[in-house]
Coordinates of all heavy atoms in Angstrom, one line a residue:
M364 N 5.4 -12.4 -4.7 CA 5.5 -11.0 -4.3 C 4.6 -10.7 -3.1 O 4.5 -9.5 -2.8 CB 5.2 -10.1 -5.5 CG 6.2 -10.2 -6.6 SD 7.9 -9.9 -6.1 CE 7.8 -8.2 -5.7
R365 N 4.0 -11.7 -2.5 CA 3.0 -11.3 -1.4 C 3.7 -10.6 -0.2 O 3.1 -9.7 0.3 CB 2.3 -12.6 -0.9 CG 1.2 -12.3 0.1 CD 0.3 -13.5 0.3 NE -0.5 -13.8 -0.9 CZ -1.7 -13.1 -1.1 NH1 -2.1 -12.2 -0.2 NH2 -2.4 -13.4 -2.2
Q366 N 4.8 -11.1 0.2 CA 5.4 -10.4 1.4 C 5.8 -9.0 1.1 O 5.6 -8.1 1.9 CB 6.6 -11.2 1.9 CG 7.2 -10.7 3.2 CD 6.1 -10.5 4.3 OE1 5.4 -11.5 4.6 NE2 6.0 -9.3 4.8
P367 N 6.5 -8.7 -0.1 CA 6.8 -7.3 -0.4 C 5.5 -6.4 -0.5 O 5.5 -5.3 -0.1 CB 7.6 -7.3 -1.7 CG 8.1 -8.7 -1.7 CD 7.2 -9.6 -1.0
A368 N 4.5 -7.0 -1.0 CA 3.2 -6.3 -1.2 C 2.6 -6.1 0.2 O 2.0 -5.0 0.4 CB 2.3 -7.1 -2.1
Q369 N 2.7 -7.0 1.1 CA 2.1 -6.8 2.4 C 2.9 -5.7 3.2 O 2.3 -4.9 3.9 CB 2.3 -8.1 3.2 CG 1.7 -8.1 4.7 CD 0.3 -7.8 4.7 OE1 -0.5 -8.8 4.5 NE2 -0.2 -6.6 5.1
T370 N 4.2 -5.7 3.0 CA 5.0 -4.6 3.6 C 4.6 -3.3 3.0 O 4.4 -2.3 3.8 CB 6.5 -4.9 3.3 OG1 6.9 -6.1 3.9 CG2 7.3 -3.7 3.9
A371 N 4.4 -3.2 1.7 CA 3.9 -2.0 1.1 C 2.5 -1.6 1.6 O 2.3 -0.4 1.9 CB 3.9 -2.1 -0.4
L372 N 1.6 -2.5 1.8 CA 0.3 -2.2 2.3 C 0.4 -1.7 3.7 O -0.3 -0.7 4.0 CB -0.6 -3.5 2.3 CG -1.9 -3.4 2.9 CD1 -2.8 -2.3 2.3 CD2 -2.7 -4.7 2.8
D373 N 1.2 -2.3 4.6 CA 1.3 -1.8 5.9 C 1.9 -0.3 5.9 O 1.4 0.5 6.7 CB 2.3 -2.7 6.7 CG 1.6 -4.0 7.1 OD1 0.4 -4.1 7.1 OD2 2.4 -5.0 7.4
R374 N 2.8 0.0 5.0 CA 3.3 1.3 4.9 C 2.2 2.3 4.5 O 2.1 3.4 5.0 CB 4.5 1.3 3.9 CG 5.2 2.6 3.9 CD 6.4 2.6 2.9 NE 7.3 1.5 3.3 CZ 7.7 0.5 2.5 NH1 7.2 0.5 1.2 NH2 8.5 -0.5 2.9
S375 N 1.4 1.8 3.6 CA 0.2 2.7 3.1 C -0.8 2.9 4.2 O -1.3 4.0 4.4 CB -0.4 2.1 1.9 OG 0.4 2.1 0.8
L376 N -1.0 1.9 5.0 CA -2.0 2.0 6.1 C -1.4 3.0 7.2 O -2.2 3.8 7.7 CB -2.2 0.7 6.8 CG -3.0 -0.4 6.0 CD1 -3.1 -1.7 6.7 CD2 -4.4 0.1 5.5
D377 N -0.1 3.0 7.4 CA 0.5 4.0 8.3 C 0.3 5.4 7.7 O 0.0 6.4 8.4 CB 2.0 3.7 8.4 CG 2.3 2.5 9.3 OD1 1.4 2.1 10.1 OD2 3.4 2.0 9.1
D378 N 0.5 5.5 6.4 CA 0.3 6.8 5.7 C -1.1 7.3 5.9 O -1.4 8.5 6.1 CB 0.7 6.8 4.3 CG 2.2 6.6 4.1 OD1 3.0 6.8 5.0 OD2 2.6 6.2 3.0
L379 N -2.1 6.4 5.6 CA -3.5 6.8 5.7 C -3.9 7.2 7.1 O -4.7 8.1 7.3 CB -4.4 5.7 5.2 CG -4.2 5.4 3.7 CD1 -5.2 4.3 3.3 CD2 -4.4 6.6 2.8
A380 N -3.3 6.5 8.1 CA -3.6 6.8 9.5 C -3.1 8.3 9.8 O -3.8 9.0 10.5 CB -3.0 5.8 10.4
A381 N -2.0 8.6 9.2 CA -1.5 10.0 9.4 C -2.4 11.0 8.7 O -2.6 12.1 9.3 CB 0.0 10.1 8.9
V382 N -2.8 10.7 7.5 CA -3.7 11.6 6.8 C -5.0 11.8 7.6 O -5.5 12.9 7.7 CB -4.0 11.1 5.4 CG1 -5.1 11.9 4.7 CG2 -2.7 11.0 4.6
Q383 N -5.5 10.7 8.1 CA -6.8 10.8 8.9 C -6.7 11.7 10.0 O -7.8 12.3 10.4 CB -7.2 9.4 9.4 CG -8.5 9.2 10.0 CD -8.9 7.8 10.4 OE1 -9.7 7.2 9.8 NE2 -8.2 7.3 11.4
E384 N -5.6 11.9 10.6 CA -5.4 12.8 11.7 C -5.6 14.3 11.3 O -5.9 15.2 12.1 CB -4.0 12.7 12.3 CG -3.8 11.4 13.1 CD -4.7 11.2 14.3 OE1 -4.8 12.2 15.0 OE2 -5.2 10.1 14.5
E385 N -5.5 14.6 10.0 CA -5.5 15.9 9.5 C -6.9 16.3 8.8 O -7.0 17.5 8.4 CB -4.4 16.1 8.4 CG -3.0 15.8 9.0 CD -2.6 16.7 10.2 OE1 -3.0 17.9 10.1 OE2 -2.0 16.2 11.1
V386 N -7.8 15.4 8.7 CA -9.0 15.6 8.0 C -10.2 15.2 8.9 O -10.0 14.6 10.0 CB -9.1 14.8 6.7 CG1 -8.1 15.4 5.7 CG2 -8.9 13.3 6.9
N387 N -11.4 15.5 8.5 CA -12.6 15.2 9.2 C -13.2 13.9 8.8 O -14.0 13.3 9.6 CB -13.7 16.3 9.1 CG -13.2 17.6 9.8 OD1 -12.7 17.6 10.9 ND2 -13.4 18.7 9.1
V388 N -12.9 13.4 7.6 CA -13.5 12.2 7.1 C -12.8 11.0 7.8 O -11.6 11.1 8.1 CB -13.4 12.1 5.6 CG1 -11.9 11.9 5.1 CG2 -14.2 10.9 5.0
R389 N -13.5 9.9 8.0 CA -12.9 8.7 8.5 C -12.6 7.7 7.4 O -13.5 7.4 6.6 CB -13.8 8.1 9.6 CG -13.3 6.9 10.3 CD -12.5 7.3 11.5 NE -11.8 6.1 12.1 CZ -12.4 5.3 13.0 NH1 -13.7 5.5 13.4 NH2 -11.7 4.3 13.5
F390 N -11.4 7.2 7.3 CA -11.1 6.1 6.4 C -11.7 4.8 6.8 O -11.7 4.5 8.0 CB -9.6 5.9 6.2 CG -8.9 7.0 5.4 CD1 -8.2 8.0 6.0 CD2 -9.0 6.9 4.0 CE1 -7.5 9.0 5.3 CE2 -8.3 7.9 3.3 CZ -7.6 8.9 3.9
A391 N -12.3 4.0 5.9 CA -12.8 2.7 6.2 C -12.3 1.7 5.1 O -12.6 1.9 3.9 CB -14.3 2.8 6.2
V392 N -11.5 0.8 5.6 CA -10.9 -0.2 4.6 C -11.9 -1.4 4.5 O -12.4 -1.9 5.5 CB -9.6 -0.7 5.1 CG1 -8.9 -1.6 4.1 CG2 -8.6 0.5 5.4
E393 N -12.2 -1.7 3.2 CA -13.2 -2.7 2.9 C -12.6 -4.1 2.8 O -11.6 -4.4 2.1 CB -13.8 -2.3 1.6 CG -14.9 -3.3 1.1 CD -15.5 -2.8 -0.2 OE1 -15.3 -1.7 -0.7 OE2 -16.2 -3.7 -0.9
N394 N -13.3 -5.1 3.4 CA -12.9 -6.5 3.2 C -13.3 -7.0 1.8 O -14.3 -6.5 1.2 CB -13.6 -7.4 4.2 CG -15.1 -7.4 4.1 OD1 -15.8 -6.4 4.3 ND2 -15.8 -8.5 3.7
M395 N -12.4 -7.8 1.2 CA -12.6 -8.2 -0.2 C -13.2 -9.5 -0.4 O -13.3 -10.3 0.6 CB -11.2 -8.1 -0.9 CG -10.6 -6.7 -0.8 SD -11.7 -5.3 -1.4 CE -11.8 -5.7 -3.1
G396 N -13.5 -9.9 -1.6 CA -14.2 -11.1 -1.9 C -13.3 -12.3 -2.1 O -12.2 -12.3 -1.5
A397 N -13.6 -13.2 -3.0 CA -12.9 -14.5 -3.1 C -11.7 -14.4 -4.0 O -11.0 -15.4 -4.2 CB -13.9 -15.5 -3.7
W398 N -11.4 -13.3 -4.5 CA -10.2 -13.2 -5.4 C -8.9 -13.3 -4.6 O -8.6 -12.5 -3.7 CB -10.2 -11.8 -6.1 CG -11.6 -11.5 -6.6 CD1 -12.2 -12.0 -7.7 CD2 -12.5 -10.6 -6.0 NE1 -13.5 -11.5 -7.8 CE2 -13.7 -10.6 -6.8 CE3 -12.5 -9.8 -4.9 CZ2 -14.8 -9.8 -6.5 CZ3 -13.6 -9.0 -4.5 CH2 -14.7 -9.0 -5.3
E399 N -8.1 -14.3 -4.9 CA -6.9 -14.6 -4.1 C -5.8 -13.6 -4.2 O -5.0 -13.5 -3.3 CB -6.3 -16.0 -4.6 CG -7.3 -17.2 -4.2 CD -6.6 -18.5 -4.5 OE1 -5.5 -18.5 -5.0 OE2 -7.3 -19.5 -4.3
I400 N -5.9 -12.7 -5.2 CA -4.9 -11.7 -5.3 C -5.1 -10.5 -4.3 O -4.2 -9.7 -4.1 CB -4.8 -11.1 -6.8 CG1 -6.1 -10.3 -7.1 CG2 -4.5 -12.2 -7.8 CD1 -6.1 -9.6 -8.4
C401 N -6.3 -10.5 -3.7 CA -6.6 -9.4 -2.9 C -6.2 -9.6 -1.4 O -6.3 -10.8 -0.9 CB -8.1 -9.1 -2.9 SG -8.8 -8.5 -4.5
F402 N -5.9 -8.6 -0.7 CA -5.6 -8.6 0.7 C -7.0 -8.4 1.4 O -8.0 -8.0 0.8 CB -4.7 -7.5 1.1 CG -3.2 -7.8 0.7 CD1 -2.7 -7.2 -0.4 CD2 -2.5 -8.7 1.4 CE1 -1.4 -7.4 -0.7 CE2 -1.2 -8.9 1.1 CZ -0.6 -8.3 0.0
F403 N -7.0 -8.7 2.7 CA -8.1 -8.5 3.6 C -9.4 -9.3 3.2 O -10.4 -8.7 2.8 CB -8.4 -7.0 3.7 CG -9.4 -6.7 4.9 CD1 -9.7 -7.6 5.9 CD2 -10.0 -5.4 4.9 CE1 -10.6 -7.3 6.9 CE2 -10.9 -5.1 5.9 CZ -11.2 -6.0 6.9
R404 N -9.2 -10.6 3.2 CA -10.4 -11.4 2.9 C -10.9 -12.1 4.2 O -12.0 -12.8 4.1 CB -10.0 -12.5 1.9 CG -9.6 -11.9 0.6 CD -9.0 -12.9 -0.4 NE -9.9 -14.1 -0.5 CZ -9.6 -15.3 -0.8 NH1 -8.3 -15.6 -0.8 NH2 -10.5 -16.3 -0.9
S405 N -10.2 -12.0 5.3 CA -10.6 -12.6 6.6 C -10.5 -11.7 7.7 O -9.7 -10.7 7.6 CB -9.8 -13.9 6.8 OG -8.5 -13.6 7.0
P406 N -11.1 -12.0 8.9 CA -11.1 -11.0 10.0 C -9.7 -10.9 10.6 O -9.5 -9.9 11.4 CB -12.1 -11.7 11.0 CG -13.0 -12.5 10.2 CD -12.1 -13.0 9.0
E407 N -8.8 -11.7 10.4 CA -7.5 -11.6 11.0 C -6.8 -10.3 10.6 O -6.0 -9.7 11.4 CB -6.5 -12.8 10.5 CG -6.9 -14.1 11.2 CD -8.1 -14.8 10.6 OE1 -8.5 -14.4 9.5 OE2 -8.6 -15.7 11.2
F408 N -7.2 -9.7 9.5 CA -6.6 -8.4 9.0 C -7.0 -7.3 9.9 O -6.4 -6.2 9.9 CB -7.0 -8.2 7.6 CG -6.4 -7.0 6.9 CD1 -5.2 -7.2 6.2 CD2 -6.9 -5.8 7.0 CE1 -4.6 -6.1 5.6 CE2 -6.4 -4.7 6.3 CZ -5.2 -4.9 5.6
L409 N -8.1 -7.4 10.6 CA -8.7 -6.3 11.4 C -7.8 -5.7 12.4 O -7.8 -4.5 12.7 CB -10.0 -6.8 12.1 CG -11.2 -7.0 11.1 CD1 -12.3 -7.8 11.8 CD2 -11.8 -5.7 10.6
D410 N -6.9 -6.5 13.0 CA -5.9 -6.0 13.9 C -5.1 -4.8 13.3 O -4.7 -3.9 14.0 CB -5.0 -7.1 14.5 CG -5.8 -8.0 15.4 OD1 -6.9 -7.6 15.9 OD2 -5.3 -9.1 15.6
R411 N -4.8 -5.0 12.0 CA -4.0 -3.9 11.4 C -4.7 -2.6 11.4 O -4.1 -1.5 11.5 CB -3.7 -4.4 10.0 CG -2.6 -5.4 9.8 CD -2.2 -5.7 8.4 NE -0.9 -6.2 8.2 CZ -0.6 -7.5 8.3 NH1 -1.5 -8.4 8.6 NH2 0.7 -7.8 8.1
L412 N -6.0 -2.7 11.3 CA -6.8 -1.4 11.3 C -7.0 -0.8 12.7 O -6.8 0.4 12.9 CB -8.2 -1.7 10.7 CG -8.2 -2.3 9.2 CD1 -9.6 -2.4 8.8 CD2 -7.4 -1.4 8.3
V413 N -7.2 -1.7 13.6 CA -7.4 -1.3 15.0 C -6.1 -0.6 15.5 O -6.1 0.5 16.1 CB -7.7 -2.5 15.9 CG1 -7.7 -2.0 17.4 CG2 -9.1 -3.0 15.5
D414 N -5.0 -1.2 15.2 CA -3.7 -0.6 15.7 C -3.4 0.8 15.1 O -2.7 1.5 15.7 CB -2.5 -1.5 15.2 CG -2.5 -2.9 15.9 OD1 -3.2 -3.0 17.0 OD2 -1.8 -3.8 15.5
R415 N -4.1 1.1 14.0 CA -3.9 2.4 13.4 C -5.1 3.4 13.5 O -5.1 4.4 12.9 CB -3.5 2.2 11.9 CG -2.2 1.5 11.7 CD -2.0 1.0 10.2 NE -0.7 0.5 10.0 CZ -0.4 -0.8 10.1 NH1 -1.3 -1.7 10.6 NH2 0.8 -1.2 9.8
N416 N -6.1 2.9 14.2 CA -7.3 3.7 14.4 C -8.0 4.0 13.0 O -8.7 5.0 12.8 CB -7.1 5.0 15.1 CG -8.4 5.7 15.5 OD1 -9.4 5.0 15.9 ND2 -8.5 7.0 15.5
L417 N -7.8 3.0 12.1 CA -8.5 3.1 10.8 C -9.8 2.4 10.9 O -10.0 1.4 11.6 CB -7.7 2.5 9.7 CG -6.4 3.3 9.3 CD1 -5.5 2.5 8.4 CD2 -6.8 4.7 8.7
G418 N -10.8 2.8 10.2 CA -12.1 2.2 10.2 C -12.2 1.0 9.4 O -11.4 0.7 8.5
F419 N -13.3 0.2 9.6 CA -13.6 -1.0 8.8 C -14.9 -0.9 8.1 O -15.9 -0.6 8.7 CB -13.6 -2.2 9.8 CG -14.2 -3.5 9.3 CD1 -14.0 -3.9 8.0 CD2 -15.1 -4.2 10.1 CE1 -14.6 -5.1 7.5 CE2 -15.7 -5.4 9.6 CZ -15.4 -5.8 8.3
A420 N -14.9 -1.1 6.8 CA -16.1 -1.2 6.0 C -16.4 -2.6 5.7 O -15.7 -3.3 5.0 CB -15.9 -0.4 4.7
L421 N -17.5 -3.1 6.3 CA -18.0 -4.5 6.1 C -18.7 -4.6 4.8 O -19.8 -4.0 4.6 CB -18.8 -5.0 7.3 CG -19.5 -6.3 7.1 CD1 -18.5 -7.4 6.9 CD2 -20.4 -6.6 8.3
D422 N -18.2 -5.4 3.8 CA -19.0 -5.7 2.6 C -19.6 -7.1 2.9 O -18.9 -8.1 3.0 CB -18.0 -5.8 1.4 CG -18.8 -5.9 0.1 OD1 -19.5 -7.0 0.0 OD2 -18.9 -5.0 -0.7
V423 N -20.9 -7.1 3.1 CA -21.6 -8.3 3.5 C -21.5 -9.4 2.4 O -21.3 -10.5 2.7 CB -23.1 -7.9 3.8 CG1 -23.9 -9.2 3.9 CG2 -23.2 -7.1 5.0
G424 N -21.6 -9.0 1.1 CA -21.6 -10.0 0.1 C -20.2 -10.6 0.0 O -20.1 -11.8 -0.2
H425 N -19.1 -9.8 0.1 CA -17.8 -10.3 0.0 C -17.6 -11.4 1.2 O -17.0 -12.4 0.9 CB -16.8 -9.2 0.2 CG -16.7 -8.3 -1.0 ND1 -16.0 -7.1 -1.0 CD2 -17.3 -8.3 -2.2 CE1 -16.1 -6.5 -2.2 NE2 -17.0 -7.2 -2.9
A426 N -18.0 -11.0 2.4 CA -17.8 -11.9 3.5 C -18.6 -13.2 3.3 O -18.1 -14.3 3.7 CB -18.2 -11.2 4.8

Side-chain angles (χ1 to χ4, degrees):
M364 294 302 295
R365 182 165 293 275
Q366 188 52 55
Q369 180 66 74
T370 300
L372 173 56
D373 287 338
R374 191 177 302 126
S375 292
L376 295 177
D377 289 338
D378 291 343
L379 295 182
V382 172
Q383 186 176 250
E384 292 295 320
E385 304 299 323
V386 294
N387 292 316
V388 68
R389 185 88 186 276
F390 284 102
V392 183
E393 178 180 348
N394 63 296
M395 303 308 292
W398 316 284
E399 292 185 1
I400 66 171
C401 292
F402 288 102
F403 192 15
R404 295 173 55 212
S405 66
E407 288 76 16
F408 188 90
L409 289 165
D410 288 342
R411 284 184 155 86
L412 304 182
V413 172
D414 290 345
R415 297 168 171 87
N416 194 34
L417 292 169
F419 162 44
L421 170 61
D422 189 294
V423 170
H425 293 172

